[in-house]
Every structure is written in structure tokens, then in C-alpha cells.
Amino acid sequence: MPKDCTLIRKPEHAPPTRARQVVHRRTALKVPLLVSAAASLSPVPLASGGSARWSADRAHRWYRGQDWLVGANFITSNAVNQLEMFQPGTFDPSLIHKELRMARLIGFNTVRVFLHDQLWIQDQRGFQRRLAHFVDIAAHHGIKPLFVLFDSCWDPHPRLGRQRAPRPGVHNSGWVQSPGADNLDDRRYRRVLRDYVVGVVTQFRDDDRVLGWDVWNEPDNPARVYRDVERTDKMELVAALLPQVFRWARSADPTQPLTSGVWQGSWGDPKSRSTICDIQLTASDVVTFHSYGKPDEFEARIAELSPLGRPMLCTEYMARTLGNRVEEVLPIAKRHNVGAYTWGLVAGKTQTFLPWDSWERPSTGPAKEWFHDLIKPGGRPYRDLEIRTIRQLTGRPRRR
């Protein structure tokens, strides 16, 4: 996503039919969701230690213990969103094996993976088993997941069950927020959120196959494409909830770092930061950020964050039509010892090879140039140069 909220290229309006559809289902889903939430309130004990943010020294010791971290934001190509990837009827271990093998052959050693609180409600034990299976598969391929617990982007009204098909020609048309807008200020649901965070982090808190915890993706993203059905008080509610999420995750005393990536506005001067941005940067053990700008902008963002004195990872980059490309950006990241995750691995149901503005003007034919994603559905690279660049920079041997 672009670095400045005023420059967001995501469209301002969702199609009227879509807005009516979302509003209609809000009331239909509210009652059963709360019933499910109440049923999930089995106590999850809080661990006794780990309440303090890591020191910079501890963060650097952790970072020195990793290889240079290079990967992708990963969702299986048969899933339209994070719910479809992990729900029992659509979780696909064989495809995960196949696509993470592709990632490792490219040279990746990590992937960023989005979870969802409603998966915890739906089937707590089953969800945890599927997460454990995912971690086993990733470890088999030498890949460490960075798990994302919450997300403020796209549809504010998620629903469990069968997910809608992607809208033809539209970028990421099925992605959903977590927690949904209906639950941001629901005091009864707050316990569910806490149990979800503590339960998932506790499950892997001593597992060195898991890289870390991205507690909230772009918490201050306004999701403008859903303006007609988005909450007007979203920023205030998220600003109040985000510190609690950090505390919940830290109460599990994980051996992995916590973070939340900044993506817009000014980051260097504390006086110029937004409230949410300041929470992110002052609570994170390691600093993460998103940059879809041109190479000089990408490097400037690194310089802006360097005085914080902590390890850095760019957890989202690559937007080809905006001038942010693997062969130009990744060498900068390596030169500064900054980890880097492209958006997208295998092109699939998220359709993120299409541009953000396809929400306003759906694509009617093949994209002249892909926006995100590295690999075609059949397994061939979109561009050989990108794969050669990754292999060269990571030292991955050429495939025989």
C-alpha cells in the first residue's frame, strides 16, 4: 500500500450493489456470531512473564540469529482470503507443500501469513491443528512464517463459511478485515479477541520454526473502497485496542518478536507521527514497514527508521507499475540488511496481479504488466529476471 494516505490509489467507493450486499448481511450475521463467540469463551490462561518490550540489544541478538530474511506475503492460490485458506473445508496441505516448495526454490526463507479471529471462534482446536500442520510444512521447506493476527484492510464485514467468488477483473476483491467492524467496540467480543491472541501465540511461543508475530496489519488503513459500510470511528477504536493486543501477545511470553508495520505518514520525528503509528513504533520489538515507492523512496524510508536502532523488515513491497520492482528494491534491502517480503507468490484468487485502481475500473483483459505476484498459476515465473535476482542475492543455488 502507498506510503501516504493522501496518495492512496485504492478507489474511494465500493460499487453500490456490493455496499447494499454488505449492509444486508451485517444484521444477519451479528447474532449467530455472538452465539459462537460466547461458546468459545473457555479460559485461556495468561502467562506470568514477558510483559516488557524487548530491548534493542535483545532484538539485534535475535536478528543476528536469522539468515537474511527474504520472502513473500503468502496465501494459497486457491484461496480468496485468509478465511478460505484456513477453514476446514478449504485448507489444502498439498497445495501449501507445492507452493512453499516453489518459494524455497526461489530462495525465500520466510513467508508472511494472515490469520483471523473468526477462525478461532469457528473451530478452536481444529484451527490450531491446521496452524500446526502449516508450520510443519513450512519447516519442511526451510521457511519460517511471520503470522499476522489482525488486519484493517478491505472488507470490514467478514463472514465464516463459504467465501464469495472473486469479482472478475478486481484486485483482492474478497479480502476481509480482522476483527470485523461489528466487533471493534463489542465488549462481549473483547474476551474472544484476547483468547485468540493469547491462545495462538502461546501455541508457538517456544517454537523457533515461527519467525514472529505481526500483531496488526496497517491498523490505520481507512479501507476507503468500503467507505459506505466502514465505521467512521474506526481509527479511534483501533488506537484504543492496538496497545491491548500488544499486551495480550506479550503476556504469552513468546521467544519471537512482536511488531506492527507502519505504512503511511511521517515516521522519523515522534512529534509528527499519528497516534497509531507512534503506538506501532514504540511497542514493536523489531521495526517493520511497507513501501511501494520507487527505489529512492524505499531507501529514504530505511533512513527515516534507522535512528530507532532496531532491526528492520519491509513486510510489503513490489508494485511494478509504480516503479517498485524486485530487481531494484531488493538489492537496497540487502545493502542495509533489511528483511523484505514481496506482496504475493503464486497468482490466484486474490487477483493481486491486477492494480489497486481496478476497484474503480475492473480489468477486462490480461494486465499489460502485473502489479503484484511472482509466479504464474502453472508454476513458471512471471519474470525470469526477478527470480534470478532473488537467487543471486540470497545465494540460492540454481535449480538443476
Side-chain angles (χ1 to χ4, degrees):
M1 297 166 193
K3 63 181 181 179
D4 189 333
C5 189
T6 62
L7 297 178
I8 290 176
R9 299 193 180 195
K10 294 179 183 176
E12 294 289 331
H13 300 280
T17 55
R18 171 71 186 131
R20 287 196 296 270
Q21 200 175 47
V22 172
V23 170
H24 174 73
R25 79 162 186 255
R26 287 181 69 178
T27 54
L29 290 173
K30 181 71 172 177
V31 173
L33 184 60
L34 284 174
V35 172
S36 297
S40 75
L41 292 180
S42 56
V44 174
L46 294 177
S48 58
S51 61
R53 181 195 191 195
W54 285 10
S55 67
D57 180 65
R58 181 178 178 183
H60 281 293
R61 280 189 279 112
W62 170 85
Y63 196 61
R64 287 193 297 269
Q66 314 299 322
D67 293 331
W68 178 46
L69 296 168
V70 187
N73 285 266
F74 176 64
I75 182 167
T76 46
S77 58
N78 66 344
V80 75
N81 59 29
Q82 60 276 57
L83 291 174
E84 192 164 46
M85 180 169 171
F86 282 105
Q87 286 192 122
T90 45
F91 181 68
D92 192 339
S94 63
L95 188 60
I96 293 169
H97 262 297
K98 178 181 177 181
E99 295 185 349
L100 290 186
R101 180 176 181 272
M102 293 181 192
R104 188 57 181 161
L105 288 171
I106 288 172
F108 289 160
N109 55 17
T110 181
V111 288
R112 184 169 177 251
V113 179
F114 288 72
L115 309 180
H116 202 287
D117 57 283
Q118 289 189 16
L119 294 164
W120 178 267
I121 294 172
Q122 180 187 50
D123 176 22
Q124 175 184 330
R125 290 188 178 89
F127 175 47
Q128 290 188 292
R129 283 195 299 270
R130 291 188 292 278
L131 272 183
H133 196 175
F134 179 88
V135 171
D136 287 343
I137 296 170
H140 175 78
H141 295 288
I143 288 177
K144 293 186 177 185
L146 172 65
F147 284 125
V148 183
L149 298 174
F150 296 111
D151 186 4
S152 284
C153 294
W154 304 107
D155 188 345
H157 299 287
R159 61 177 177 84
L160 290 166
R162 184 176 179 179
Q163 300 300 295
R164 63 184 180 272
R167 288 181 56 210
V170 178
H171 172 108
N172 225 3
S173 63
W175 201 263
V176 290
Q177 295 185 32
S178 170
D182 295 331
N183 294 319
L184 272 175
D185 63 345
D186 190 324
R187 302 301 301 179
R188 292 172 295 175
Y189 196 77
R190 191 64 49 89
R191 172 73 176 275
V192 176
L193 298 179
R194 193 212 74 166
D195 284 0
Y196 158 64
V197 171
V198 176
V200 171
V201 176
T202 298
Q203 181 180 359
F204 299 103
R205 66 184 176 193
D206 294 318
D207 194 332
D208 62 6
R209 301 173 304 165
V210 172
L211 184 71
W213 304 98
D214 189 337
V215 303
W216 203 311
N217 178 65
E218 298 192 358
D220 51 348
N221 192 303
R224 286 195 173 102
V225 295
Y226 286 97
R227 188 174 67 179
D228 292 341
V229 292
E230 180 66 286
R231 298 189 66 124
T232 58
D233 59 352
K234 175 180 173 179
M235 297 306 165
E236 292 79 8
L237 293 172
V238 172
L241 185 55
L242 181 59
Q244 294 185 57
V245 175
F246 269 103
R247 287 195 294 271
W248 295 336
R250 213 173 285 288
S251 75
D253 197 15
T255 56
Q256 311 95 349
L258 308 182
T259 191
S260 177
V262 291
W263 70 284
Q264 64 160 328
S266 177
W267 306 334
D269 182 359
K271 296 179 181 178
S272 301
R273 296 175 193 156
S274 69
T275 299
I276 290 177
C277 175
D278 194 59
I279 294 168
Q280 291 173 280
L281 291 176
T282 56
S284 292
D285 299 319
V286 298
V287 172
T288 54
F289 68 99
H290 299 170
S291 177
Y292 291 109
K294 294 180 179 178
D296 59 336
E297 299 173 57
F298 181 85
E299 194 157 24
R301 284 307 209 178
I302 294 173
E304 189 176 0
L305 292 170
S306 291
L308 296 175
R310 289 177 177 265
M312 279 187 281
L313 296 87
C314 176
T315 48
E316 290 186 23
Y317 84 97
M318 194 176 69
R320 295 181 184 91
T321 59
L322 301 183
N324 184 295
R325 299 183 177 88
V326 170
E327 62 271 23
E328 297 169 331
V329 169
L330 197 58
I332 297 172
K334 182 165 189 181
R335 186 163 66 247
H336 292 280
N337 194 26
V338 170
Y341 295 75
T342 66
W343 187 273
L345 184 65
V346 181
K349 288 177 73 173
T350 61
Q351 301 179 158
T352 52
F353 53 87
L354 300 172
W356 289 318
D357 61 12
S358 62
W359 275 88
E360 289 180 326
R361 295 176 293 278
S363 301
T364 56
K368 292 182 180 178
E369 183 176 26
W370 279 15
F371 194 66
H372 297 319
D373 300 325
L374 289 169
I375 300 173
K376 297 178 181 179
R380 295 190 61 82
Y382 173 65
R383 282 188 175 151
D384 289 336
L385 175 59
E386 294 172 345
I387 306 306
R388 289 199 304 271
T389 299
I390 296 167
R391 284 176 172 274
Q392 179 183 9
L393 292 173
T394 59
R396 184 70 179 168
R398 183 181 299 276
R399 183 180 180 183
R400 295 179 181 176

